[in-house]
Amino acid sequence: MNKLCIHGGRQLHGSVSVSGSKNAALPILSACLLSGGEKHISNVPNLKDVETLMSLLKAMGVKISQTGASTYCVSAKKLSSYTAPYDLVKKMRASILVLGPLLARFGSAIVSFPGGCAIGNRSVDMHLTGLQAMGAQIIIEHGYIKAESEGRLKGTEIYHDTVSVGATENLMMAAVLADGKTVINNAAREPEIIDLGKCLIKWGAKITGLGSSKIEIEGVEKLSGGTFNVMPDRIEAATYMAAIASVGGKVTLFNANINHLSAVIAKLKESGLNFFLKENCIEIEMSNEQPKAVDIKTAPYPGFPTDMQAPFTVINALAKGTSVIEETIFENRLMHVPELRRMGANISVKDNIARVDGRAELFGAEVTASDLRASAALIIAGLAAKGETIISGLEHVERGYEDIQDKFKQLGAEIT
Ligand code: UD1
């Protein structure tokens, strides 16, 4: 999909089923490298990022077969290579997640050093210093991270200066096969970390403290295989909620876990979105009133997720009143703002803070998406705007939203 054309201004009605979580599926598929046993992973979303990781695993010799609509059988009995090449890491930075598992099981890994990306520097220093503290020798040569370990990695105490989802995951995966106990202090607490941890525990790992900022892992010699069902995508669920808040209407969401969405739901309620919890679904409804402006400051979980900052900017652009949006996780994650201005939004940016003066209407325009969540924001803006919006740069959206066009069409959107 290169471009989307949206005729906005139609309220959304109907139901949507939330897919499996991208950010949980990627580490869980990487964790399949930790043992040779067969794993059956279900609720895996059909996304470009998942396809990229599967290509990477297959290129190393991992056998992957699709056994159901969203279920895969993964077997990493023997590998032919321990290398994650530039062309795949360049497509998706989360490829760095194979580093910890490869090193822990095979004592060797060569992973292309991820460069910067659209939303910021995204350094991997904490991944590397953590592995070094566990005894790995690491050199950076010709654009590659070359990591070796003589024998098993050694359990140790690690402290992170910044909360990092990826570094917590990589080190947790490395530590499950290490000799002795590893403690990760100032660990990330995101639900996806808990999902990965639950999966590792199911396959034989000894982990405590999941969901807290201190995770303790007692290394084991081997993991087994088994099954695992990936959690629902909380950011996808929240994106549909933000769409209803911006566009109006009434929608039922299936497979959403509201326990993962406390911060987002609190802010959406403040903006005027109504939630009705049913036994197996959530009904959300926006009255015909304009949303209310709501201040947002992104923070690691359980704070407001940076991945929802761009979609929320659209709600505020259409809201009654003025709001302040502060991005604290990434240095360059307000790139949707100039595009939203092309659609009439009143937003000024200084450093990483956006001041939004809401207005009752946006109008359609040609805009370009810079990254995954900015794409979602522009789609929501297009759905809310008067007239035609043409969005290009949409290769990003397929990385993280399963069937987004069909799901919005199902809700009555005019989108091609
Ligand atoms: C993950 C999510 C992404 C989300 C982000 C923050 C996946 C596949 N992606 O990305 O959707 O937006 O968490 O919730 O799960 N940092 C360092 N050194 C490091 C590692 C990180 O300085 O070694 C910095 C980053 O530059 C960034 C901050 O820490 O400023 C948070 O990054 P991190 O939590 O690691 O994000 P990802 O795991 O890449």
Side-chain angles (χ1 to χ4, degrees):
M1 177 162 57
N2 290 325
K3 283 189 182 184
L4 271 184
C5 175
I6 302 173
H7 288 270
R10 294 164 73 126
Q11 290 205 337
L12 302 172
H13 289 274
S15 65
V16 168
S17 186
V18 175
S19 301
S21 161
K22 167 179 90 73
N23 288 355
L26 295 175
I28 287 166
L29 287 167
S30 305
C32 291
L33 288 167
L34 284 164
S35 75
E38 255 184 23
K39 291 104 187 160
H40 297 267
I41 321 281
S42 51
N43 205 28
V44 177
N46 180 13
L47 298 169
K48 273 273 172 327
D49 273 7
V50 168
E51 205 182 296
T52 302
L53 185 63
M54 287 189 181
S55 302
L56 172 57
L57 295 175
K58 283 179 186 167
M60 291 175 180
V62 177
K63 303 265 180 295
I64 304 179
S65 55
Q66 189 164 4
T67 53
S70 57
T71 306
Y72 293 83
C73 174
V74 184
S75 167
K77 212 168 197 168
K78 266 198 193 147
L79 294 201
S80 48
S81 146
Y82 306 140
T83 300
Y86 177 63
D87 56 339
L88 291 174
V89 179
K90 188 177 67 174
K91 273 192 192 165
M92 186 188 67
R93 297 175 50 82
S95 311
I96 186 83
L97 292 174
V98 300
L99 178 61
L102 283 176
L103 194 55
R105 180 165 161 218
F106 301 102
S108 181
I110 303 174
V111 178
S112 175
F113 194 92
C117 77
I119 61 175
N121 276 329
R122 301 186 86 171
S123 164
V124 290
D125 56 330
M126 293 182 333
H127 299 240
L128 304 188
T129 48
L131 292 171
Q132 279 166 329
M134 294 170 82
Q137 288 90 50
I138 297 184
I139 54 167
I140 315 283
E141 209 172 55
H142 307 300
Y144 278 81
I145 301 162
K146 296 186 175 169
E148 298 274 333
S149 164
E150 267 177 43
R152 287 170 75 187
L153 291 167
K154 306 265 176 300
T156 189
E157 181 122 5
I158 292 166
Y159 170 74
H160 284 164
D161 290 326
T162 311
V163 176
S164 163
V165 174
T168 303
E169 291 167 344
N170 227 341
L171 297 176
M172 203 162 92
M173 289 189 280
V176 293
L177 291 184
D179 185 11
K181 182 175 171 178
T182 302
V183 180
I184 308 175
N185 294 292
N186 201 19
R189 294 185 281 164
E190 269 66 2
E192 293 77 11
I193 307 262
I194 301 178
D195 218 40
L196 169 65
K198 280 185 183 166
C199 170
L200 293 168
I201 290 169
K202 198 167 181 202
W203 297 346
K206 291 187 179 161
I207 306 175
T208 54
L210 290 169
S212 79
S213 54
K214 182 173 181 174
I215 299 178
E216 299 189 45
I217 304 127
E218 191 64 53
V220 295
E221 287 200 10
K222 254 182 141 180
L223 289 191
S224 64
T227 57
F228 195 75
N229 190 54
V230 175
M231 63 177 263
D233 197 311
R234 66 190 167 105
I235 303 299
E236 188 198 13
T239 301
Y240 285 98
M241 292 173 183
I244 312 309
S246 305
V247 183
K250 185 174 178 182
V251 166
T252 306
L253 280 184
F254 289 96
N255 302 331
N257 186 341
I258 53 149
N259 299 322
H260 297 159
L261 287 164
S262 305
V264 177
I265 289 179
K267 292 290 179 181
L268 286 167
K269 279 185 178 167
E270 249 186 86
S271 76
L273 191 65
N274 296 307
F275 289 82
F276 306 96
L277 300 186
K278 301 281 156 91
E279 206 177 305
N280 63 344
C281 62
I282 312 170
E283 268 179 23
I284 45 180
E285 183 174 24
M286 191 70 184
S287 65
N288 287 330
E289 281 179 27
Q290 215 181 334
K292 291 181 197 71
V294 177
D295 291 343
I296 297 291
K297 183 174 181 177
T298 63
Y301 192 85
F304 189 90
T306 172
D307 287 348
M308 280 308 295
Q309 178 261 110
F312 219 102
T313 307
V314 180
I315 304 176
N316 279 340
L318 288 159
K320 203 180 273 180
T322 299
S323 58
V324 174
I325 297 180
E326 187 175 350
E327 172 57 53
T328 71
I329 309 288
F330 293 108
E331 311 90 41
N332 195 23
R333 212 174 197 184
L334 290 166
M335 283 166 51
H336 46 289
V337 168
E339 301 304 302
L340 291 176
R341 277 199 209 116
R342 305 196 72 246
M343 301 177 75
N346 287 324
I347 311 177
S348 58
V349 174
K350 190 159 186 263
D351 302 323
N352 255 349
I353 300 177
R355 188 191 146 95
V356 188
D357 289 309
R359 51 177 291 168
E361 269 181 4
L362 295 178
F363 42 79
E366 282 189 59
V367 289
T368 304
S370 52
D371 63 77
L372 171 58
R373 307 302 171 187
S375 313
L378 294 177
I379 292 174
I380 296 173
L383 292 170
K386 273 220 162 123
E388 183 181 83
T389 296
I390 296 177
I391 311 175
S392 48
L394 274 167
E395 62 279 7
H396 300 291
V397 86
E398 293 175 324
R399 295 183 46 195
Y401 288 94
E402 188 173 72
D403 296 334
I404 191 165
Q405 182 181 337
D406 289 342
K407 288 186 182 183
F408 273 124
K409 263 190 182 165
Q410 210 175 297
L411 299 180
E414 222 184 306
I415 175 168
T416 49

